[in-house]
Amino acid sequence: MKHVVISGYYGFNNTGDEAVLSAMLSAMREQASKKDKEIVFTVLSAQPDVTASRHHVCAVGRTDLLNIIRTLLKCDMFISGGGGLLQDTTGLRLSVAYYLGLVLLALLFGKPAVLYAHGIGPVTGPLNRLLVRLIANRATLITVRDTGSLEELARMGVSRPPVSLTADPAFLLTATAAEDVPFAACLSDKKPVIAVAVRAWKGQGRYLEEIAIAADTLAEELNACLVLIPMYYSEDLPVTQELQGMLHNDAVILEEENMTPAELLSIFGRLDLVLAVRLHALIFAAAAGVPMVGIGYDPKVNAFMSRLGLLPAGDTSEVTAPVIIRQALERWHQRDSVRQSLLQRRDGLRAEAEQAAAIVIETLFESGEKP
């Protein structure tokens, strides 16, 4: 039996990151079972008890250095990922130092270190870029979820470990039927359902106004219901409520804070159109084959839309209601072909995500079996 430690943005009730963790664990367990092998996982989490219960893993506090050291000393592999961990544009801009510091600690203890399904950047600070080059070059294996991340690693001089393109692990998530659908009346009336997922960001007042105008127009033109989905509940609920106050049409806020990613994915399967700033709202829409309009706040949104063969509506600093409306109506009127294209691309992205898990498991068991 092997012991793997996983570090990421876990235990914060961010649906996207919890979906990534759930899918990663499931995929690696499945790949290990194909080899008749077993793995025990320890996840570094902001809420260890919650993470342990929800994902059936061991968990330690993500800032509990003593326990982290003890855990790393007895593990067989350290995994950093997935998600946009190596960036310095949000929070206290300490993400690069924190996540690479853990990678370095694992390497100092002689453990294989894998960067799994990362979205790299933006990394703007010279010191942070140096840290990426010095530490990522010593990783055992790196997989990234978009070509922009490949290019950014190359620009920072990361060239020694094998680096390959994969897909976000959330594409491997399997939907689980949610108990309550807040827009059940709309489904009974056979009305289309348009979902909107936003997040707080600089200049949000302006871009929220544009999204509100677009959502109202689309609701009227398509005789549709509006549902607002806070993907990262505690962070997104205030801005979601702000958007609700700007709308002239009624809109339901999905207020199930403890809904699992698999249950939320099933909700996305009942939608007809998605307007989203949040990356994983777009990923869930693509996984369900739902036409979408993406609004970029970060290069990862544009990179993901590119992988789907779709143009974003613009970024939060410049997006306008007419562009959102035009794209939404085009994709609505071509929804059958858009759905078919999305499902085909989803299958390809799933295959990439499965292959990434297989490579990690191969590396894990090979590293301990060489003479």
Side-chain angles (χ1 to χ4, degrees):
M1 180 180 291
K2 296 288 189 179
H3 180 196
V4 174
V5 177
I6 301 177
S7 164
Y9 193 71
Y10 304 128
F12 291 95
N13 288 327
N14 182 328
T15 301
D17 289 291
E18 296 303 316
V20 165
L21 178 58
S22 178
M24 282 174 57
L25 292 168
S26 178
M28 287 191 285
R29 285 167 174 152
E30 181 179 348
Q31 292 297 328
S33 71
K34 291 179 180 180
K35 295 177 170 290
D36 294 321
K37 304 289 188 179
E38 292 185 14
I39 308 174
V40 60
F41 293 98
T42 297
V43 177
L44 309 188
S45 170
Q47 299 183 82
D49 292 344
V50 173
T51 296
S53 174
R54 181 178 293 165
H55 297 286
H56 308 291
V57 295
C58 302
V60 300
R62 58 184 268 125
T63 58
D64 186 348
L65 184 58
L66 185 58
N67 265 334
I68 290 172
I69 289 173
R70 288 171 177 161
T71 303
L72 288 175
L73 284 169
K74 65 183 181 182
C75 80
D76 297 291
M77 175 180 279
F78 176 77
I79 292 177
S80 172
L85 307 179
L86 299 186
Q87 53 81 26
D88 56 10
T89 59
T90 62
L92 298 176
R93 302 193 177 186
L94 298 175
S95 290
V96 173
Y98 171 78
Y99 290 111
L100 287 181
L102 291 170
V103 173
L104 179 60
L105 197 57
L107 291 170
L108 289 174
F109 294 155
K111 309 299 181 178
V114 173
L115 274 60
Y116 191 131
H118 269 250
I120 307 295
V123 181
T124 58
L127 177 58
N128 283 338
R129 295 181 72 82
L130 177 63
L131 287 174
V132 174
R133 183 170 76 250
L134 293 177
I135 299 174
N137 264 321
R138 287 161 176 76
T140 306
L141 171 70
I142 300 174
T143 63
V144 296
R145 65 187 181 188
D146 57 75
T147 55
S149 295
L150 284 174
E151 293 164 358
E152 180 68 343
L153 283 177
R155 285 192 292 269
M156 287 189 283
V158 178
S159 58
R160 192 196 67 80
V163 181
S164 59
L165 180 66
T166 186
D168 193 290
F171 274 104
L172 297 176
L173 200 64
T174 300
T176 300
E179 292 185 6
D180 298 312
V181 179
F183 46 89
C186 298
L187 298 175
S188 298
D189 293 339
K190 300 189 183 304
K191 287 186 175 182
V193 180
I194 301 172
V196 185
V198 295
R199 64 156 296 159
W201 199 248
K202 50 185 176 286
Q204 72 182 44
R206 194 205 70 81
Y207 90 75
L208 286 179
E209 287 178 1
E210 299 298 322
I211 292 175
I213 293 168
D216 274 330
T217 302
L218 292 166
E220 291 167 9
E221 183 148 345
L222 301 179
N223 188 27
C225 296
L226 294 176
V227 58
L228 311 181
I229 302 179
M231 297 291 291
Y232 184 177
Y233 192 83
S234 62
E235 294 287 323
D236 294 351
L237 184 59
V239 68
T240 300
Q241 292 171 330
E242 184 179 344
L243 173 63
Q244 185 185 41
M246 295 178 175
L247 294 166
H248 297 297
N249 287 274
D250 291 336
V252 174
I253 294 180
L254 186 64
E255 297 203 46
E256 295 296 327
E257 181 177 5
N258 295 317
M259 184 175 286
T260 68
E263 289 171 336
L264 186 56
L265 180 58
S266 76
I267 293 288
F268 271 79
R270 311 295 293 274
L271 303 175
D272 297 286
L273 186 65
V274 172
L275 315 178
V277 179
R278 278 287 185 191
L279 173 64
H280 278 89
L282 296 168
I283 289 174
F284 279 28
V290 179
M292 73 197 75
V293 175
I295 299 151
Y297 73 96
D298 183 284
K300 65 187 180 184
V301 174
N302 295 346
F304 176 66
M305 294 299 288
S306 177
R307 295 209 75 185
L308 297 180
L310 296 172
L311 290 173
D315 64 36
T316 52
S317 66
E318 64 182 15
V319 71
T320 63
V323 174
I324 297 172
I325 294 165
R326 176 178 56 77
Q327 280 198 359
L329 289 176
E330 285 176 357
R331 289 166 194 172
W332 169 258
H333 292 305
Q334 299 170 15
R335 58 190 178 277
D336 290 340
S337 61
V338 170
R339 174 178 172 79
Q340 183 178 7
S341 174
L342 287 174
L343 293 178
Q344 287 175 345
R345 289 176 185 267
R346 176 202 66 185
D347 291 345
L349 292 167
R350 278 181 177 171
E352 289 183 16
E354 287 174 350
Q355 179 62 19
I359 292 171
V360 170
I361 294 305
E362 192 72 28
T363 303
L364 171 63
F365 286 101
E366 281 188 353
S367 66
E369 295 174 358
K370 290 180 180 178

